[in-house]
Amino acid sequence: MEAARRDPAEFDALYRRYLARVYSYAYYELGDHHAAEDATEKTFLAALTNLHRFGERARSEDGDGASTFRVWLFRIARNVVANERRSLRRHLSTPLPDDPSIADPLDVERDVVRRDEGRTAWRAVGRLRGDRRRALVLRFVDEMSTAEIAGVLGRSEGAVRVLIHRALRSVAKDLRAGEPPAR
């Protein structure tokens, strides 16, 4: 972090460390590869441009490896994603279907069912509103702690725990509603 402040060329290490996570977050939020790539690029450009404003505030009780840089970076990503979402709403387009993947020739049916279940679950997550969806993505995709999520979303840890709990209940309810009736 300090090396990147002194020499912007050193930012590359931070970029490489967080690129996949920021892209993943943007993709799950926007649901479009191109929009996620744009949001990821804008996030890192904003971080590099504003690196002088960042101040490390990790506490010893946060544990080893805790970094407020990651939280700061994801706050930037959250803002960029919100701007991208507004831009996408202004320029509505029909999304292209998901890229077909090569099916397992030995068990095509199982592969189709597994992919369908995954799509159904992510659609249920996608129907969640705002911070509930963001909290799930940050927790289970980006594997952030509740403390980090609280920093990204600007909420208390307790509020984040409640968000995650309620979001999981909503997704489970949504998935149960889509099941065929039991006989």
Side-chain angles (χ1 to χ4, degrees):
M1 187 59 223
E2 290 305 318
R5 277 194 177 140
R6 288 188 299 275
D7 180 9
E10 297 294 325
F11 187 76
D12 184 58
L14 294 170
Y15 174 79
R16 289 178 189 274
R17 181 174 182 179
Y18 293 106
L19 174 64
R21 291 178 180 179
V22 170
Y23 171 81
S24 177
Y25 170 74
Y27 177 75
Y28 282 104
E29 282 293 307
L30 298 168
D32 178 75
H33 291 290
H34 296 294
E37 288 172 348
D38 290 346
T40 301
E41 178 185 355
K42 290 174 184 174
T43 297
F44 281 102
L45 284 173
L48 180 59
T49 303
N50 294 297
L51 202 54
H52 65 280
R53 293 183 179 178
F54 172 73
E56 183 70 56
R57 288 184 220 96
R59 302 170 310 213
S60 58
E61 62 267 18
D62 291 337
D64 289 340
S67 170
T68 57
F69 176 77
R70 180 166 117 157
V71 171
W72 181 72
L73 184 64
F74 272 83
R75 275 191 174 176
I76 294 170
R78 182 187 71 178
N79 293 335
V80 168
V81 163
N83 290 339
E84 286 291 314
R85 200 178 256 126
R86 280 189 289 276
S87 176
L88 288 172
R89 265 186 253 140
R90 282 187 224 119
H91 304 90
L92 290 177
S93 62
T94 306
L96 296 174
D98 290 336
D99 294 334
S101 59
I102 298 173
D104 177 6
L106 302 177
D107 195 354
V108 173
E109 182 179 354
R110 180 179 55 91
D111 193 44
V112 168
V113 168
R114 185 177 47 79
R115 272 189 272 141
D116 189 48
E117 288 172 347
R119 272 192 221 106
T120 301
W122 277 113
R123 272 191 235 114
V125 170
R127 285 189 287 271
L128 293 172
R129 293 201 168 259
D131 281 350
R132 282 188 183 186
R133 182 187 61 255
R134 284 182 204 99
L136 282 187
V137 170
L138 290 170
R139 179 71 185 111
F140 296 107
V141 176
D142 295 310
E143 298 178 347
M144 285 190 172
S145 68
T146 53
E148 289 174 314
I149 296 168
V152 171
L153 299 180
R155 293 179 175 237
S156 70
E157 286 186 60
V160 168
R161 284 189 203 91
V162 170
L163 272 174
I164 291 171
H165 176 74
R166 289 180 179 168
L168 289 173
R169 278 192 8 215
S170 294
V171 168
K173 182 179 176 184
D174 193 356
L175 292 175
R176 280 192 303 272
E179 290 179 357
R183 294 178 187 216

